[in-house]
Amino acid sequence: MSELVPGGNMPLPGGAVTVRVPGPFDVSALITDDGGRVRGDADFVFYNQPSAPGARLDGDTLTVDPARLRAGATRVTVVVSPADPGTPLGRLPAPTLHLDGPGAHPLARFTPPPPRQETVLLLAELYRRAGGWKLRALGQGYADGLAGIARDFGVDVTDDGTTAVPPVASVPPPSPARATPSAPFPSPRSSPDPGGWLSLVNSARAAAGCPPVSPDARLATAAHAHVGALAAAGRLGVEGPDGVSLYQRVTAAGYPYITVGEHLVSGPRTASEFIDYVLGDEQSRRTLLDPAFTHASVEHARSGDTFWTAVWARPFTPGDLTRTATQVVERTNRERAGAGLPPLAVDPVLTSAAQAHSADMMARAFYSHTSPEGRQPWDRAAAAGSTRRTIGENIACGQRSPAEVVDGWMHSPGHRANILKPDFTHIGVGFAGGGPKGTYWTQLFGA
């Protein structure tokens, strides 16, 4: 059985699976397409509407048969909230998700970091990828409760025709009764663009000769969760007071990336003031005008001051990963050529081991040459099938490009020594985006 961490994922077997969350919680589910938007009230499974095509809720257990979901459904998001709406999640034990396959075979377990200010958690999602289905652990909380989920899933429910309430509006009101909402879900709406932020951004990019960026609902989900955590704590940081980094929120929202950037700002009152502030700082300006980014989303929250979180990203593709690794090798060999050394040849086995280590550091949120099980670089190389006698490894985290990471290694004596070691003849490069640090790089050398 697998123990998952936030952002971790695993393939699902064929057939129906069950998700159980025992304890003082209400379990519900939202059925969406790739855009993360519900189509209507039939896409919401909860205690007063316990079944939908391919999904059935029985107490604390949700059974999902992906093959029987409605046409176009590609994602089932599992939501938990306190059974007693007057009790904050922080006063309850952390919910634990138990995933079982056919025949009640245990597959995985996931316990997110203990909630603090959060009142609702997106605990996990089942999603379709390349013809198969996977489960991704989320643990994404909302300090502003159900209203945040309403916005991110693109729904407004009207209760009694007057008051807007979130998509899980059927979660019980603060009384013993559990009432069914009187109105169904309306049509999905597009992601918000506070104060015309995107238009201002793309005008600035156009003036600098950069291509425009497009909004993305997944980035908006991550930005919203992060800015809510920052506003609740009254301070800025890549890692929120809940211990979850912005990068973990991006991958948990279902956006794997090859490069990422962010602006975390407090003070500006409008989108225009925010853009002016960013353009006035050289480093922030470079992020806004970076041609590598294709998507961007922003969210803001007020808590005494106005807090902003903008996320910039380019989605992961196998082609981008290959190009990134190739650029690292090219820059490494350029440094070797400058020292009068022969170039390193790419070794597919070393590449496989390096990629696996970067992905492992990202998924399990550690940064070390030694894995949590005690495995060393040469152990990983041998496990991948390498027979090379000498192995060396460079790792790095947080750098946003091949140029930045190779430059950083060359300014570190130990890493520089590996790059310029005459005995090394082969190299493999790995990269993964996500985790607490945002990016994880590995160079594996062999001779």
Side-chain angles (χ1 to χ4, degrees), residues 23-57:
F25 308 103
D26 277 332
V27 180
S28 52
L30 291 155
I31 300 168
T32 62
D33 55 21
D34 281 334
R37 295 293 194 244
V38 298
R39 287 186 177 178
D41 60 338
D43 279 345
F44 181 37
V45 177
F46 64 108
Y47 48 78
N48 271 336
Q49 184 173 279
S51 65
R56 185 181 71 256
L57 181 65

PDB file of all heavy atoms in Angstrom, residues 23-57:
ATOM      1  N   GLY A  23     -14.313   9.455  10.286  1.00  0.00           N
ATOM      2  CA  GLY A  23     -14.185  10.536  11.247  1.00  0.00           C
ATOM      3  C   GLY A  23     -15.335  11.519  11.163  1.00  0.00           C
ATOM      4  O   GLY A  23     -16.307  11.319  10.425  1.00  0.00           O
ATOM      5  N   PRO A  24     -15.225  12.614  11.880  1.00  0.00           N
ATOM      6  CA  PRO A  24     -16.327  13.601  11.968  1.00  0.00           C
ATOM      7  C   PRO A  24     -16.366  14.535  10.763  1.00  0.00           C
ATOM      8  O   PRO A  24     -16.280  15.758  10.898  1.00  0.00           O
ATOM      9  CB  PRO A  24     -15.995  14.358  13.257  1.00  0.00           C
ATOM     10  CG  PRO A  24     -14.500  14.333  13.330  1.00  0.00           C
ATOM     11  CD  PRO A  24     -14.095  12.988  12.758  1.00  0.00           C
ATOM     12  N   PHE A  25     -16.454  13.947   9.573  1.00  0.00           N
ATOM     13  CA  PHE A  25     -16.409  14.733   8.348  1.00  0.00           C
ATOM     14  C   PHE A  25     -17.578  14.408   7.432  1.00  0.00           C
ATOM     15  O   PHE A  25     -18.128  13.302   7.486  1.00  0.00           O
ATOM     16  CB  PHE A  25     -15.106  14.465   7.579  1.00  0.00           C
ATOM     17  CG  PHE A  25     -13.865  14.621   8.396  1.00  0.00           C
ATOM     18  CD1 PHE A  25     -13.173  13.510   8.864  1.00  0.00           C
ATOM     19  CD2 PHE A  25     -13.389  15.879   8.714  1.00  0.00           C
ATOM     20  CE1 PHE A  25     -12.033  13.652   9.621  1.00  0.00           C
ATOM     21  CE2 PHE A  25     -12.238  16.030   9.472  1.00  0.00           C
ATOM     22  CZ  PHE A  25     -11.567  14.914   9.940  1.00  0.00           C
ATOM     23  N   ASP A  26     -17.960  15.377   6.621  1.00  0.00           N
ATOM     24  CA  ASP A  26     -18.856  15.140   5.496  1.00  0.00           C
ATOM     25  C   ASP A  26     -18.009  14.993   4.240  1.00  0.00           C
ATOM     26  O   ASP A  26     -17.116  15.818   3.982  1.00  0.00           O
ATOM     27  CB  ASP A  26     -19.840  16.298   5.314  1.00  0.00           C
ATOM     28  CG  ASP A  26     -21.040  16.180   6.234  1.00  0.00           C
ATOM     29  OD1 ASP A  26     -21.398  15.049   6.600  1.00  0.00           O
ATOM     30  OD2 ASP A  26     -21.608  17.226   6.597  1.00  0.00           O
ATOM     31  N   VAL A  27     -18.282  13.947   3.480  1.00  0.00           N
ATOM     32  CA  VAL A  27     -17.573  13.693   2.225  1.00  0.00           C
ATOM     33  C   VAL A  27     -18.499  14.061   1.066  1.00  0.00           C
ATOM     34  O   VAL A  27     -19.688  13.749   1.088  1.00  0.00           O
ATOM     35  CB  VAL A  27     -17.161  12.207   2.117  1.00  0.00           C
ATOM     36  CG1 VAL A  27     -16.427  11.944   0.799  1.00  0.00           C
ATOM     37  CG2 VAL A  27     -16.292  11.808   3.290  1.00  0.00           C
ATOM     38  N   SER A  28     -17.949  14.722   0.082  1.00  0.00           N
ATOM     39  CA  SER A  28     -18.707  15.027  -1.133  1.00  0.00           C
ATOM     40  C   SER A  28     -17.752  14.958  -2.313  1.00  0.00           C
ATOM     41  O   SER A  28     -16.539  14.810  -2.140  1.00  0.00           O
ATOM     42  CB  SER A  28     -19.389  16.401  -1.045  1.00  0.00           C
ATOM     43  OG  SER A  28     -18.464  17.405  -0.695  1.00  0.00           O
ATOM     44  N   ALA A  29     -18.288  15.058  -3.509  1.00  0.00           N
ATOM     45  CA  ALA A  29     -17.459  14.948  -4.706  1.00  0.00           C
ATOM     46  C   ALA A  29     -18.003  15.853  -5.797  1.00  0.00           C
ATOM     47  O   ALA A  29     -19.218  16.039  -5.921  1.00  0.00           O
ATOM     48  CB  ALA A  29     -17.402  13.504  -5.201  1.00  0.00           C
ATOM     49  N   LEU A  30     -17.097  16.404  -6.596  1.00  0.00           N
ATOM     50  CA  LEU A  30     -17.433  17.247  -7.746  1.00  0.00           C
ATOM     51  C   LEU A  30     -16.899  16.573  -9.001  1.00  0.00           C
ATOM     52  O   LEU A  30     -15.719  16.219  -9.071  1.00  0.00           O
ATOM     53  CB  LEU A  30     -16.820  18.634  -7.590  1.00  0.00           C
ATOM     54  CG  LEU A  30     -17.438  19.480  -6.471  1.00  0.00           C
ATOM     55  CD1 LEU A  30     -16.451  20.518  -5.985  1.00  0.00           C
ATOM     56  CD2 LEU A  30     -18.707  20.153  -6.961  1.00  0.00           C
ATOM     57  N   ILE A  31     -17.770  16.380  -9.986  1.00  0.00           N
ATOM     58  CA  ILE A  31     -17.402  15.708 -11.231  1.00  0.00           C
ATOM     59  C   ILE A  31     -17.239  16.776 -12.306  1.00  0.00           C
ATOM     60  O   ILE A  31     -18.169  17.554 -12.566  1.00  0.00           O
ATOM     61  CB  ILE A  31     -18.476  14.679 -11.631  1.00  0.00           C
ATOM     62  CG1 ILE A  31     -18.625  13.631 -10.513  1.00  0.00           C
ATOM     63  CG2 ILE A  31     -18.135  14.015 -12.957  1.00  0.00           C
ATOM     64  CD1 ILE A  31     -19.843  12.748 -10.673  1.00  0.00           C
ATOM     65  N   THR A  32     -16.056  16.837 -12.917  1.00  0.00           N
ATOM     66  CA  THR A  32     -15.757  17.907 -13.853  1.00  0.00           C
ATOM     67  C   THR A  32     -15.054  17.352 -15.088  1.00  0.00           C
ATOM     68  O   THR A  32     -14.684  16.180 -15.145  1.00  0.00           O
ATOM     69  CB  THR A  32     -14.857  18.972 -13.208  1.00  0.00           C
ATOM     70  OG1 THR A  32     -13.612  18.369 -12.837  1.00  0.00           O
ATOM     71  CG2 THR A  32     -15.511  19.563 -11.974  1.00  0.00           C
ATOM     72  N   ASP A  33     -14.852  18.247 -16.061  1.00  0.00           N
ATOM     73  CA  ASP A  33     -14.064  17.905 -17.238  1.00  0.00           C
ATOM     74  C   ASP A  33     -12.655  18.456 -17.059  1.00  0.00           C
ATOM     75  O   ASP A  33     -12.275  18.869 -15.964  1.00  0.00           O
ATOM     76  CB  ASP A  33     -14.735  18.437 -18.512  1.00  0.00           C
ATOM     77  CG  ASP A  33     -15.011  19.940 -18.434  1.00  0.00           C
ATOM     78  OD1 ASP A  33     -14.359  20.623 -17.618  1.00  0.00           O
ATOM     79  OD2 ASP A  33     -15.879  20.418 -19.179  1.00  0.00           O
ATOM     80  N   ASP A  34     -11.857  18.484 -18.130  1.00  0.00           N
ATOM     81  CA  ASP A  34     -10.477  18.948 -18.017  1.00  0.00           C
ATOM     82  C   ASP A  34     -10.381  20.402 -17.576  1.00  0.00           C
ATOM     83  O   ASP A  34      -9.372  20.811 -17.005  1.00  0.00           O
ATOM     84  CB  ASP A  34      -9.749  18.783 -19.362  1.00  0.00           C
ATOM     85  CG  ASP A  34      -9.313  17.350 -19.593  1.00  0.00           C
ATOM     86  OD1 ASP A  34      -9.107  16.616 -18.609  1.00  0.00           O
ATOM     87  OD2 ASP A  34      -9.191  16.958 -20.760  1.00  0.00           O
ATOM     88  N   GLY A  35     -11.403  21.196 -17.859  1.00  0.00           N
ATOM     89  CA  GLY A  35     -11.379  22.592 -17.460  1.00  0.00           C
ATOM     90  C   GLY A  35     -11.668  22.810 -15.994  1.00  0.00           C
ATOM     91  O   GLY A  35     -11.601  23.937 -15.506  1.00  0.00           O
ATOM     92  N   GLY A  36     -11.997  21.749 -15.262  1.00  0.00           N
ATOM     93  CA  GLY A  36     -12.275  21.875 -13.836  1.00  0.00           C
ATOM     94  C   GLY A  36     -13.585  22.549 -13.515  1.00  0.00           C
ATOM     95  O   GLY A  36     -13.751  23.125 -12.450  1.00  0.00           O
ATOM     96  N   ARG A  37     -14.554  22.474 -14.430  1.00  0.00           N
ATOM     97  CA  ARG A  37     -15.838  23.146 -14.237  1.00  0.00           C
ATOM     98  C   ARG A  37     -16.968  22.117 -14.211  1.00  0.00           C
ATOM     99  O   ARG A  37     -17.006  21.195 -15.023  1.00  0.00           O
ATOM    100  CB  ARG A  37     -16.101  24.133 -15.385  1.00  0.00           C
ATOM    101  CG  ARG A  37     -15.102  25.282 -15.427  1.00  0.00           C
ATOM    102  CD  ARG A  37     -15.287  26.157 -14.204  1.00  0.00           C
ATOM    103  NE  ARG A  37     -14.600  27.427 -14.325  1.00  0.00           N
ATOM    104  CZ  ARG A  37     -13.611  27.795 -13.536  1.00  0.00           C
ATOM    105  NH1 ARG A  37     -13.176  26.987 -12.606  1.00  0.00           N
ATOM    106  NH2 ARG A  37     -13.048  28.979 -13.677  1.00  0.00           N
ATOM    107  N   VAL A  38     -17.894  22.288 -13.265  1.00  0.00           N
ATOM    108  CA  VAL A  38     -19.064  21.425 -13.229  1.00  0.00           C
ATOM    109  C   VAL A  38     -20.036  21.841 -14.331  1.00  0.00           C
ATOM    110  O   VAL A  38     -20.016  22.979 -14.799  1.00  0.00           O
ATOM    111  CB  VAL A  38     -19.775  21.500 -11.863  1.00  0.00           C
ATOM    112  CG1 VAL A  38     -18.859  21.032 -10.755  1.00  0.00           C
ATOM    113  CG2 VAL A  38     -20.290  22.898 -11.580  1.00  0.00           C
ATOM    114  N   ARG A  39     -20.889  20.902 -14.740  1.00  0.00           N
ATOM    115  CA  ARG A  39     -21.900  21.214 -15.748  1.00  0.00           C
ATOM    116  C   ARG A  39     -23.244  21.574 -15.131  1.00  0.00           C
ATOM    117  O   ARG A  39     -24.061  22.245 -15.746  1.00  0.00           O
ATOM    118  CB  ARG A  39     -22.085  20.015 -16.678  1.00  0.00           C
ATOM    119  CG  ARG A  39     -20.932  19.794 -17.637  1.00  0.00           C
ATOM    120  CD  ARG A  39     -21.267  18.682 -18.620  1.00  0.00           C
ATOM    121  NE  ARG A  39     -20.205  18.491 -19.598  1.00  0.00           N
ATOM    122  CZ  ARG A  39     -20.221  17.565 -20.540  1.00  0.00           C
ATOM    123  NH1 ARG A  39     -21.270  16.740 -20.646  1.00  0.00           N
ATOM    124  NH2 ARG A  39     -19.220  17.443 -21.378  1.00  0.00           N
ATOM    125  N   GLY A  40     -23.479  21.111 -13.908  1.00  0.00           N
ATOM    126  CA  GLY A  40     -24.756  21.375 -13.279  1.00  0.00           C
ATOM    127  C   GLY A  40     -24.887  20.601 -11.982  1.00  0.00           C
ATOM    128  O   GLY A  40     -23.929  19.992 -11.499  1.00  0.00           O
ATOM    129  N   ASP A  41     -26.077  20.589 -11.397  1.00  0.00           N
ATOM    130  CA  ASP A  41     -26.254  19.978 -10.081  1.00  0.00           C
ATOM    131  C   ASP A  41     -26.015  18.481 -10.095  1.00  0.00           C
ATOM    132  O   ASP A  41     -25.671  17.893  -9.078  1.00  0.00           O
ATOM    133  CB  ASP A  41     -27.632  20.305  -9.511  1.00  0.00           C
ATOM    134  CG  ASP A  41     -28.762  19.809 -10.387  1.00  0.00           C
ATOM    135  OD1 ASP A  41     -28.523  19.592 -11.593  1.00  0.00           O
ATOM    136  OD2 ASP A  41     -29.881  19.640  -9.866  1.00  0.00           O
ATOM    137  N   ALA A  42     -26.162  17.819 -11.262  1.00  0.00           N
ATOM    138  CA  ALA A  42     -25.931  16.377 -11.333  1.00  0.00           C
ATOM    139  C   ALA A  42     -24.464  16.027 -11.138  1.00  0.00           C
ATOM    140  O   ALA A  42     -24.127  14.865 -10.912  1.00  0.00           O
ATOM    141  CB  ALA A  42     -26.424  15.840 -12.677  1.00  0.00           C
ATOM    142  N   ASP A  43     -23.584  17.017 -11.225  1.00  0.00           N
ATOM    143  CA  ASP A  43     -22.154  16.780 -11.046  1.00  0.00           C
ATOM    144  C   ASP A  43     -21.722  16.868  -9.591  1.00  0.00           C
ATOM    145  O   ASP A  43     -20.535  16.817  -9.306  1.00  0.00           O
ATOM    146  CB  ASP A  43     -21.350  17.798 -11.865  1.00  0.00           C
ATOM    147  CG  ASP A  43     -21.237  17.419 -13.325  1.00  0.00           C
ATOM    148  OD1 ASP A  43     -21.527  16.265 -13.669  1.00  0.00           O
ATOM    149  OD2 ASP A  43     -20.858  18.297 -14.123  1.00  0.00           O
ATOM    150  N   PHE A  44     -22.661  17.032  -8.687  1.00  0.00           N
ATOM    151  CA  PHE A  44     -22.351  17.198  -7.274  1.00  0.00           C
ATOM    152  C   PHE A  44     -22.938  16.024  -6.498  1.00  0.00           C
ATOM    153  O   PHE A  44     -24.143  15.788  -6.526  1.00  0.00           O
ATOM    154  CB  PHE A  44     -22.924  18.524  -6.782  1.00  0.00           C
ATOM    155  CG  PHE A  44     -22.647  18.832  -5.341  1.00  0.00           C
ATOM    156  CD1 PHE A  44     -21.439  18.483  -4.763  1.00  0.00           C
ATOM    157  CD2 PHE A  44     -23.586  19.468  -4.563  1.00  0.00           C
ATOM    158  CE1 PHE A  44     -21.182  18.759  -3.443  1.00  0.00           C
ATOM    159  CE2 PHE A  44     -23.345  19.764  -3.240  1.00  0.00           C
ATOM    160  CZ  PHE A  44     -22.130  19.411  -2.673  1.00  0.00           C
ATOM    161  N   VAL A  45     -22.068  15.263  -5.817  1.00  0.00           N
ATOM    162  CA  VAL A  45     -22.483  14.103  -5.026  1.00  0.00           C
ATOM    163  C   VAL A  45     -22.281  14.439  -3.557  1.00  0.00           C
ATOM    164  O   VAL A  45     -21.172  14.793  -3.148  1.00  0.00           O
ATOM    165  CB  VAL A  45     -21.670  12.859  -5.421  1.00  0.00           C
ATOM    166  CG1 VAL A  45     -22.057  11.668  -4.549  1.00  0.00           C
ATOM    167  CG2 VAL A  45     -21.866  12.523  -6.893  1.00  0.00           C
ATOM    168  N   PHE A  46     -23.358  14.355  -2.769  1.00  0.00           N
ATOM    169  CA  PHE A  46     -23.286  14.649  -1.348  1.00  0.00           C
ATOM    170  C   PHE A  46     -24.401  13.875  -0.652  1.00  0.00           C
ATOM    171  O   PHE A  46     -25.106  13.060  -1.276  1.00  0.00           O
ATOM    172  CB  PHE A  46     -23.387  16.157  -1.100  1.00  0.00           C
ATOM    173  CG  PHE A  46     -24.702  16.771  -1.521  1.00  0.00           C
ATOM    174  CD1 PHE A  46     -25.610  17.185  -0.565  1.00  0.00           C
ATOM    175  CD2 PHE A  46     -25.037  16.913  -2.863  1.00  0.00           C
ATOM    176  CE1 PHE A  46     -26.825  17.754  -0.939  1.00  0.00           C
ATOM    177  CE2 PHE A  46     -26.238  17.486  -3.239  1.00  0.00           C
ATOM    178  CZ  PHE A  46     -27.135  17.904  -2.283  1.00  0.00           C
ATOM    179  N   TYR A  47     -24.588  14.097   0.657  1.00  0.00           N
ATOM    180  CA  TYR A  47     -25.501  13.238   1.422  1.00  0.00           C
ATOM    181  C   TYR A  47     -26.942  13.344   0.963  1.00  0.00           C
ATOM    182  O   TYR A  47     -27.704  12.389   1.069  1.00  0.00           O
ATOM    183  CB  TYR A  47     -25.402  13.538   2.929  1.00  0.00           C
ATOM    184  CG  TYR A  47     -25.465  14.993   3.258  1.00  0.00           C
ATOM    185  CD1 TYR A  47     -26.654  15.694   3.269  1.00  0.00           C
ATOM    186  CD2 TYR A  47     -24.300  15.688   3.558  1.00  0.00           C
ATOM    187  CE1 TYR A  47     -26.691  17.037   3.562  1.00  0.00           C
ATOM    188  CE2 TYR A  47     -24.333  17.035   3.859  1.00  0.00           C
ATOM    189  CZ  TYR A  47     -25.527  17.703   3.859  1.00  0.00           C
ATOM    190  OH  TYR A  47     -25.560  19.041   4.146  1.00  0.00           O
ATOM    191  N   ASN A  48     -27.383  14.491   0.456  1.00  0.00           N
ATOM    192  CA  ASN A  48     -28.757  14.611  -0.027  1.00  0.00           C
ATOM    193  C   ASN A  48     -28.901  14.243  -1.500  1.00  0.00           C
ATOM    194  O   ASN A  48     -29.998  14.205  -2.030  1.00  0.00           O
ATOM    195  CB  ASN A  48     -29.271  16.043   0.186  1.00  0.00           C
ATOM    196  CG  ASN A  48     -29.919  16.202   1.543  1.00  0.00           C
ATOM    197  OD1 ASN A  48     -30.380  15.227   2.130  1.00  0.00           O
ATOM    198  ND2 ASN A  48     -29.939  17.410   2.050  1.00  0.00           N
ATOM    199  N   GLN A  49     -27.790  14.048  -2.182  1.00  0.00           N
ATOM    200  CA  GLN A  49     -27.788  13.579  -3.572  1.00  0.00           C
ATOM    201  C   GLN A  49     -26.631  12.590  -3.685  1.00  0.00           C
ATOM    202  O   GLN A  49     -25.578  12.905  -4.221  1.00  0.00           O
ATOM    203  CB  GLN A  49     -27.596  14.747  -4.541  1.00  0.00           C
ATOM    204  CG  GLN A  49     -27.671  14.355  -6.013  1.00  0.00           C
ATOM    205  CD  GLN A  49     -27.650  15.559  -6.919  1.00  0.00           C
ATOM    206  OE1 GLN A  49     -28.678  16.195  -7.113  1.00  0.00           O
ATOM    207  NE2 GLN A  49     -26.492  15.884  -7.477  1.00  0.00           N
ATOM    208  N   PRO A  50     -26.813  11.383  -3.138  1.00  0.00           N
ATOM    209  CA  PRO A  50     -25.684  10.474  -2.931  1.00  0.00           C
ATOM    210  C   PRO A  50     -25.221   9.711  -4.162  1.00  0.00           C
ATOM    211  O   PRO A  50     -24.289   8.904  -4.045  1.00  0.00           O
ATOM    212  CB  PRO A  50     -26.222   9.510  -1.872  1.00  0.00           C
ATOM    213  CG  PRO A  50     -27.690   9.488  -2.105  1.00  0.00           C
ATOM    214  CD  PRO A  50     -28.060  10.874  -2.548  1.00  0.00           C
ATOM    215  N   SER A  51     -25.823   9.932  -5.318  1.00  0.00           N
ATOM    216  CA  SER A  51     -25.368   9.179  -6.477  1.00  0.00           C
ATOM    217  C   SER A  51     -25.442  10.016  -7.744  1.00  0.00           C
ATOM    218  O   SER A  51     -26.248  10.936  -7.868  1.00  0.00           O
ATOM    219  CB  SER A  51     -26.195   7.896  -6.655  1.00  0.00           C
ATOM    220  OG  SER A  51     -27.547   8.210  -6.945  1.00  0.00           O
ATOM    221  N   ALA A  52     -24.555   9.685  -8.665  1.00  0.00           N
ATOM    222  CA  ALA A  52     -24.504  10.242 -10.007  1.00  0.00           C
ATOM    223  C   ALA A  52     -23.954   9.131 -10.883  1.00  0.00           C
ATOM    224  O   ALA A  52     -23.417   8.147 -10.362  1.00  0.00           O
ATOM    225  CB  ALA A  52     -23.606  11.477 -10.049  1.00  0.00           C
ATOM    226  N   PRO A  53     -24.078   9.246 -12.200  1.00  0.00           N
ATOM    227  CA  PRO A  53     -23.511   8.196 -13.047  1.00  0.00           C
ATOM    228  C   PRO A  53     -22.045   7.939 -12.719  1.00  0.00           C
ATOM    229  O   PRO A  53     -21.210   8.846 -12.790  1.00  0.00           O
ATOM    230  CB  PRO A  53     -23.681   8.766 -14.457  1.00  0.00           C
ATOM    231  CG  PRO A  53     -24.871   9.657 -14.355  1.00  0.00           C
ATOM    232  CD  PRO A  53     -24.789  10.273 -13.000  1.00  0.00           C
ATOM    233  N   GLY A  54     -21.731   6.724 -12.289  1.00  0.00           N
ATOM    234  CA  GLY A  54     -20.361   6.343 -11.997  1.00  0.00           C
ATOM    235  C   GLY A  54     -19.859   6.702 -10.619  1.00  0.00           C
ATOM    236  O   GLY A  54     -18.707   6.413 -10.288  1.00  0.00           O
ATOM    237  N   ALA A  55     -20.670   7.330  -9.767  1.00  0.00           N
ATOM    238  CA  ALA A  55     -20.234   7.727  -8.428  1.00  0.00           C
ATOM    239  C   ALA A  55     -21.373   7.520  -7.439  1.00  0.00           C
ATOM    240  O   ALA A  55     -22.526   7.853  -7.724  1.00  0.00           O
ATOM    241  CB  ALA A  55     -19.777   9.187  -8.409  1.00  0.00           C
ATOM    242  N   ARG A  56     -21.040   6.982  -6.274  1.00  0.00           N
ATOM    243  CA  ARG A  56     -22.062   6.727  -5.248  1.00  0.00           C
ATOM    244  C   ARG A  56     -21.452   6.960  -3.871  1.00  0.00           C
ATOM    245  O   ARG A  56     -20.353   6.492  -3.567  1.00  0.00           O
ATOM    246  CB  ARG A  56     -22.571   5.288  -5.346  1.00  0.00           C
ATOM    247  CG  ARG A  56     -23.740   4.978  -4.377  1.00  0.00           C
ATOM    248  CD  ARG A  56     -24.189   3.538  -4.479  1.00  0.00           C
ATOM    249  NE  ARG A  56     -23.217   2.601  -3.911  1.00  0.00           N
ATOM    250  CZ  ARG A  56     -22.411   1.846  -4.596  1.00  0.00           C
ATOM    251  NH1 ARG A  56     -22.401   1.907  -5.927  1.00  0.00           N
ATOM    252  NH2 ARG A  56     -21.550   1.016  -4.008  1.00  0.00           N
ATOM    253  N   LEU A  57     -22.166   7.699  -3.025  1.00  0.00           N
ATOM    254  CA  LEU A  57     -21.721   8.002  -1.674  1.00  0.00           C
ATOM    255  C   LEU A  57     -22.563   7.226  -0.678  1.00  0.00           C
ATOM    256  O   LEU A  57     -23.795   7.267  -0.720  1.00  0.00           O
ATOM    257  CB  LEU A  57     -21.831   9.508  -1.408  1.00  0.00           C
ATOM    258  CG  LEU A  57     -21.388  10.002  -0.027  1.00  0.00           C
ATOM    259  CD1 LEU A  57     -19.892   9.769   0.174  1.00  0.00           C
ATOM    260  CD2 LEU A  57     -21.731  11.478   0.140  1.00  0.00           C
TER     261      LEU A  57
END
